[in-house]
Amino acid sequence: MKIIIFGPQGSGKGTYASRLSPLLGNIPHIATGDLLRAARDDKEYGEKIRHYQDTGGLVPDEIVLRTLKKRLDQPDARKGFIIDGYPRNAEQAKALDKITAIDVIINLVVPEWVLLQRLSTRVQCKNCSTIFNTRTLPPKKPGICDKCGGPLFQRDDDKPEAIKKRLALYHEMSAPLIKHYRDQGIVIDIECDSPDIPPEIVVNKIMDRLRTFKKARGQAKTK
Ligand code: ADP
């Protein structure tokens, strides 16, 4: 399945996508934020990427698209993928339509106070990008990644000023894109209105909804 996980910063896209991947035949979880972070030392684009990421702005479309396309061309993405963090504006949605068809959008609907609380206590592994939350999803040993033993850090863009800017950008440019996909009848809305729901519960809910969606699609096709 070709999936986009969509929602504001702090809605849990990465947390849920990384848990959905093994349940969906190990299709890769492709997070544009992580792809771009991995390219921060790039000779050509690194400086621009660092600038936009650190201040909470959007990296120019051309750089993001090139990075994403390269990742989607890898053999493991042929059978499907979960894209997290793309598209974020109308240009990006148009560009993606040209590269590949998407089967379903998982749209995470989360109130702002939950987002703010989660982002301010979020930490990420420097090596493998796994996300933890010092309040709701703490690592077993403080400051150390459970998965790879790497150091955990708070991203510069998770500091209050950058958070405000990123959420404003989401509401202005990204949130309206859902209509583009709703018109195609491929959006599954997942409501999560508490900061303390364990990720597994939300992941089960998403899996249930995906099964229902697939069944309905299958029936529609055979009619
Ligand atoms: P978040 O979604 O919580 O902002 P990400 O890790 O997805 O975190 O992204 C971090 C940063 O990477 C963004 O603030 C932005 O600068 C850049 N970025 C990621 N995806 C895109 C995109 N599709 N378009 C432009 N910039 C992006």
Side-chain angles (χ1 to χ4, degrees):
M1 271 196 130
K2 296 180 173 174
I3 300 175
I4 292 176
I5 191 156
F6 194 80
Q9 290 80 0
S11 56
K13 298 185 295 287
T15 302
Y16 305 140
S18 62
R19 286 163 172 77
L20 285 166
S21 160
L23 303 175
L24 294 167
N26 283 323
I27 52 173
H29 164 209
I30 299 178
T32 48
D34 292 340
L35 291 180
L36 292 168
R37 264 187 293 279
R40 285 167 69 96
D41 291 331
D42 184 273
K43 279 202 189 78
E44 215 179 329
Y45 305 121
E47 202 182 320
K48 271 198 182 150
I49 295 177
R50 286 196 298 275
H51 168 74
Y52 288 106
Q53 281 200 323
D54 292 347
T55 53
L58 288 186
V59 174
D61 292 345
E62 181 213 329
I63 301 177
V64 188
L65 184 65
R66 191 180 286 212
T67 314
L68 176 65
K69 196 167 177 312
K70 207 158 123 197
R71 180 63 188 89
L72 291 177
D73 283 343
Q74 303 282 311
D76 67 333
R78 242 171 249 153
K79 58 183 177 184
F81 45 74
I82 310 173
I83 295 180
D84 153 9
Y86 191 101
R88 295 196 192 206
N89 60 34
E91 283 310 310
Q92 294 189 2
K94 263 192 229 153
L96 185 64
D97 281 347
K98 284 191 196 138
I99 304 177
T100 184
I102 296 296
D103 297 311
V104 59
I105 314 288
I106 300 166
N107 181 38
L108 302 174
V109 183
V110 183
E112 184 112 349
W113 70 270
V114 174
L115 303 174
L116 292 172
Q117 197 181 85
R118 278 208 193 125
L119 288 168
S120 63
T121 49
R122 162 162 107 163
V123 286
Q124 181 164 22
C125 174
K126 231 179 185 119
N127 287 345
C128 74
S129 304
T130 299
I131 300 275
F132 295 87
N133 190 296
T134 52
R135 210 179 66 82
T136 56
L137 200 64
K140 291 196 184 88
K141 277 193 211 152
I144 308 282
C145 176
D146 289 356
K147 258 199 194 158
C148 75
L152 303 181
F153 73 111
Q154 186 188 36
R155 287 164 31 181
D156 275 342
D157 60 352
D158 278 345
K159 311 250 160 87
E161 276 318 302
I163 289 179
K164 272 190 222 144
K165 182 166 168 188
R166 286 158 60 214
L167 285 174
L169 267 179
Y170 176 80
H171 287 299
E172 184 193 333
M173 317 245 285
S174 310
L177 297 178
I178 202 69
K179 184 175 181 309
H180 173 73
Y181 298 107
R182 235 183 254 293
D183 291 346
Q184 300 170 31
I186 58 169
V187 176
I188 294 179
D189 291 306
I190 301 286
E191 319 237 333
C192 338
D193 42 20
S194 152
D196 298 325
I197 308 176
E200 284 65 29
I201 304 280
V202 181
V203 167
N204 285 340
K205 187 161 143 185
I206 296 174
M207 287 302 291
D208 278 347
R209 298 284 305 279
L210 279 176
R211 273 182 221 112
T212 315
F213 176 84
K214 267 198 208 166
K215 230 194 227 166
R217 285 247 127 173
Q219 280 165 0
K221 270 189 194 153
T222 52
K223 263 184 200 161

